Amino acid sequence: MKQQQRYDYIIAGAGSAGCALAARLCEDADVSVCLIEAGGNGNSLFVRMPAGNGFIFGNPKFDWGYESIPQPGLDGRKIYYPRGKGLGGTSLLNGLVYMRGNCQDFDRWRAMGIPGWGYDDLLPYFKKLESAPHHDRRYHGHDGPLKVTPAVNYEPVNQAYVEAAMQAGARHNDDFNGATQVGVGRFDAMVHNGQRQSTGAAYLKRRPANLTILTHTRVRKIEMRGQRAVGVQIESQGRGESISVEREVISCLGAFESPKLLMLSGIGPARHLAGFDIPVVMDLPGVGSDLQDHPNIPLTFRIRDESLSYSRYQRLDRALWLGLRYLLTREGPASGTFWSSALFHAFDGGELPDVEAYCVPMVVREEAAGAGWNIQNLLNPGKAVIARGKIAAPGIQFDTNLLRPAARGSVRLTSANADDRPLIDPAFLGNERDVADAVRAVELMRDITAQVAFDGIVGEEIAIGAQARSKAEIANALRQHVTTGHHPVSSCRIGADSDPGAVLDDQFRVRGVEALRVVDASAFPDQISGNPSAAIIMMAERAADFLAGNPPPASE
């Protein structure tokens, strides 16, 4: 690669947003785009296989393996944050749940003083990105690049979960991205013909001639001339150089790395940057602030019939059958995620849910990777297919996400060295309202598991533990069990002109800086009611129109 190459657009990060944005910008044949990715090409059987993401988690080839700082609200525990590395980013290893969020989330964004960001404004972009021919055209696209299909493994335990939730008062919902979101049912997955639909696969299967992709290349800093972005400093195989930009630099590095890149480049809280002797280009206190994530409550139970648990596929003969069937036919349990149903529930009624809860017919317990051979390794070599470095035990796990936590966390620099990981603080259970909501979530799921539909299926509670009965006991037990829902957002958020904490304007432009935008989960004005992947891709579609100067589609 020659030094001082020049492109119209430079995109840092080939994740859920970066791949989609690059593909759309390259539809103009006169535009040159450079897409820079620190990982590789994202190609692996376990990436393509929807059930293989457990092997990808913890694999340093595909997972950055971030970790939070100790969480006071979780008795000092650190939270493991898998984040994708490679072409496709976290869409290489996420749970493949296709969930847009609630229409009220986007109308709230518009009400926050961000024009053009209501649900009616954004629905055309959601429809543009997807192909979901099994759903109504009023709410869904049928010919977009991202193929969406009903979750495959809708087996007896998930069916019983849907029935039990309805017995507890939930209504059935066969389209969480349609007219309403609240209810219980089978969800849609980003899977097509038995293969994961990462954004790399969906948008860049055919590489445009005007797109240059640099893999195994890290963006270390944005080069500034005054207050204008003019290029980036990169490093590949130990060699550093610069690439210049003609039009704009766009950061698509995600909720942890986008604020880090901005701060390393002198854009962020002036006092924080001064502590590392980083010259301040623009004092933006919101950079790295307002981090929001969905705290996850893993409520686990024994299963009365162990043949119903997906842990059975860890046995060698069954693991081989699972993999062979997938390789030969792209069918069978490995062709989908090991969960297929979800509940969206509003504690006090209404159409804006407070929790999102999945049913997973196995219980995954941590085991250090590379711990050496033991009897479990000998009996269960198939565990690599299910979950790298973990053993799945027979049981049922209900992963319940708090959708709008009140606590706000942060992302901060560890040092001025681009190689150092950022300090990540999601502030889990750092707010009394969040604790109260978590307790209500546990009570809700216990009520559902006690319904007739689960008779003969659900056994005694393993965690958080049946002995925790009072609200205080539940709250105390939760501190040892809450994990991440894997949905960090809002660390470089869009906001109104009058919002002093806003980093971006309504077109993703970094405030006070020219030729620089941020397009990824960090740009969310606040948290949404669901998995963020679809909304991230929607943002990339919208940013492409902003950059190309295209008029927005008519609102619906």
Side-chain angles (χ1 to χ4, degrees):
M1 182 178 62
K2 297 179 181 179
Q3 289 187 354
Q4 296 299 326
Q5 285 183 305
R6 194 173 191 86
Y7 298 90
D8 290 310
Y9 296 105
I10 295 174
I11 300 174
S16 295
C19 290
L21 179 58
R24 291 305 191 191
L25 289 176
C26 286
E27 290 177 353
D28 181 349
D30 294 328
V31 163
S32 60
V33 178
C34 182
L35 179 61
I36 305 172
E37 169 55 42
N41 60 15
N43 189 24
S44 164
L45 168 64
F46 292 108
V47 167
R48 295 191 298 275
M49 180 193 297
N53 69 330
F55 183 80
I56 300 301
F57 274 43
N59 184 337
K61 182 178 179 181
F62 299 104
D63 179 7
W64 287 105
Y66 292 100
E67 194 174 56
S68 77
I69 64 173
Q71 295 294 286
L74 304 183
D75 291 341
R77 287 191 299 121
K78 295 181 180 180
I79 296 297
Y80 162 53
Y81 269 107
R83 295 280 93 188
K85 179 195 295 187
L87 200 63
T90 300
S91 69
L92 297 174
L93 52 71
N94 65 13
L96 291 171
V97 179
Y98 182 75
M99 208 73 70
R100 295 173 178 169
N102 192 281
C103 62
Q104 292 187 41
D105 293 326
F106 308 115
D107 288 344
R108 182 178 65 250
W109 290 0
R110 182 173 56 196
M112 291 165 62
I114 311 170
W117 281 88
Y119 176 70
D120 289 347
D121 302 303
L122 303 182
L123 180 57
Y125 288 104
F126 279 118
K127 293 171 70 172
K128 180 180 180 181
L129 70 89
E130 74 174 8
S131 177
H134 57 294
H135 283 312
D136 191 329
R137 282 186 180 273
R138 287 179 299 170
Y139 299 101
H140 294 274
H142 286 191
D143 53 7
L146 187 74
K147 307 297 192 296
V148 177
T149 54
V152 169
N153 290 312
Y154 190 57
E155 37 56 67
V157 174
N158 274 275
Q159 293 170 28
Y161 173 52
V162 171
E163 184 63 28
M166 292 173 66
Q167 290 171 352
R171 66 171 181 251
H172 187 263
N173 191 339
D174 60 3
D175 182 7
F176 295 112
N177 301 303
T180 61
Q181 186 187 31
V182 167
V184 65
R186 184 180 183 178
F187 60 71
D188 286 332
M190 293 176 284
V191 176
H192 178 62
N193 289 337
Q195 298 193 67
R196 170 181 289 271
Q197 290 288 284
S198 70
T199 52
Y203 280 85
L204 295 177
K205 187 174 182 179
R206 295 179 180 177
R207 303 284 175 85
N210 53 338
L211 174 63
T212 298
I213 299 177
L214 304 180
T215 55
H216 302 291
T217 303
R218 298 197 67 171
V219 177
R220 302 185 66 83
K221 188 178 179 182
I222 301 164
E223 294 194 327
M224 307 293 297
R225 183 177 300 137
Q227 292 178 323
R228 181 181 180 85
V230 295
V232 295
Q233 294 179 12
I234 62 171
E235 182 179 343
S236 179
Q237 298 179 335
R239 178 185 173 191
E241 53 189 301
S242 297
I243 303 177
S244 299
V245 72
E246 184 69 28
R247 299 187 185 182
E248 297 198 33
V249 173
I250 307 109
S251 179
C252 299
L253 292 170
F256 300 150
E257 289 291 333
S258 275
K260 173 186 163 184
L261 178 63
L262 262 59
M263 288 187 283
L264 288 173
S265 307
I267 302 165
R271 184 176 299 178
H272 180 62
L273 301 185
F276 301 107
D277 295 324
I278 297 174
V280 177
V281 173
M282 177 57 59
D283 179 12
L284 283 180
V287 174
S289 302
D290 292 308
L291 177 68
Q292 300 168 51
D293 189 11
H294 291 145
N296 176 59
I297 303 160
L299 199 65
T300 61
F301 294 80
R302 300 194 187 281
I303 192 167
R304 297 189 186 280
D305 182 356
E306 294 189 0
S307 69
L308 296 176
S309 175
Y310 280 120
S311 63
R312 66 187 183 273
Y313 292 118
Q314 289 185 136
R315 208 174 77 182
L316 178 59
D317 57 336
R318 292 171 179 166
L320 290 174
W321 172 85
L322 186 83
L324 185 61
R325 183 180 179 189
Y326 179 79
L327 287 171
L328 293 177
T329 68
R330 291 293 186 267
E331 295 178 350
S335 67
T337 60
F338 285 148
W339 47 90
S340 61
S341 59
L343 166 71
F344 284 89
H345 177 78
F347 288 135
D348 300 316
E351 295 298 325
L352 185 63
D354 297 293
V355 296
E356 174 184 15
Y358 306 100
C359 175
V360 185
M362 61 181 175
V363 176
V364 178
R365 58 177 184 264
E366 298 292 336
E367 181 190 66
W373 283 95
N374 55 37
I375 189 65
Q376 290 291 346
N377 293 102
L378 291 170
L379 293 176
N380 299 310
K383 71 180 182 180
V385 178
I386 307 298
R388 178 185 175 92
K390 302 174 183 176
I391 294 177
I396 307 176
Q397 182 162 313
F398 299 93
D399 284 320
T400 306
N401 289 188
L402 299 185
L403 292 177
R404 284 181 312 285
R408 296 292 182 265
S410 64
V411 178
R412 292 289 180 252
L413 294 177
T414 302
S415 73
N417 187 340
D419 293 326
D420 289 341
R421 298 290 181 91
L423 299 175
I424 300 167
D425 179 12
F428 282 154
L429 300 191
N431 181 284
E432 287 304 314
R433 195 196 83 186
D434 295 347
V435 176
D437 284 348
V439 170
R440 294 183 76 177
V442 170
E443 294 171 337
L444 168 70
M445 300 313 295
R446 283 177 171 174
D447 180 38
I448 291 172
T449 58
Q451 299 300 316
V452 173
F454 269 140
D455 284 356
I457 297 176
V458 174
E460 67 267 29
E461 184 178 325
I462 302 170
I464 57 171
Q467 71 280 2
R469 303 311 304 178
S470 70
K471 292 184 184 296
E473 289 169 340
I474 294 171
N476 188 56
L478 281 168
R479 301 186 190 282
Q480 290 299 317
H481 293 282
V482 164
T483 63
T484 172
H486 306 287
H487 305 153
V489 301
S490 300
S491 51
C492 294
R493 62 182 178 84
I494 294 171
D497 292 342
S498 59
D499 184 349
V503 176
L504 311 175
D505 70 7
D506 60 357
Q507 295 192 23
F508 303 98
R509 294 173 294 210
V510 177
R511 294 182 179 277
V513 178
E514 296 180 63
L516 178 61
R517 304 192 199 213
V518 177
V519 182
D520 55 32
S522 71
F524 282 29
D526 65 7
Q527 185 61 276
I528 63 171
S529 305
N531 313 63
S533 184
I536 294 169
I537 302 170
M538 173 275 293
M539 284 188 154
E541 291 276 6
R542 191 142 204 252
D545 273 357
F546 288 142
L547 287 158
N550 297 330
S555 64
E556 301 191 16

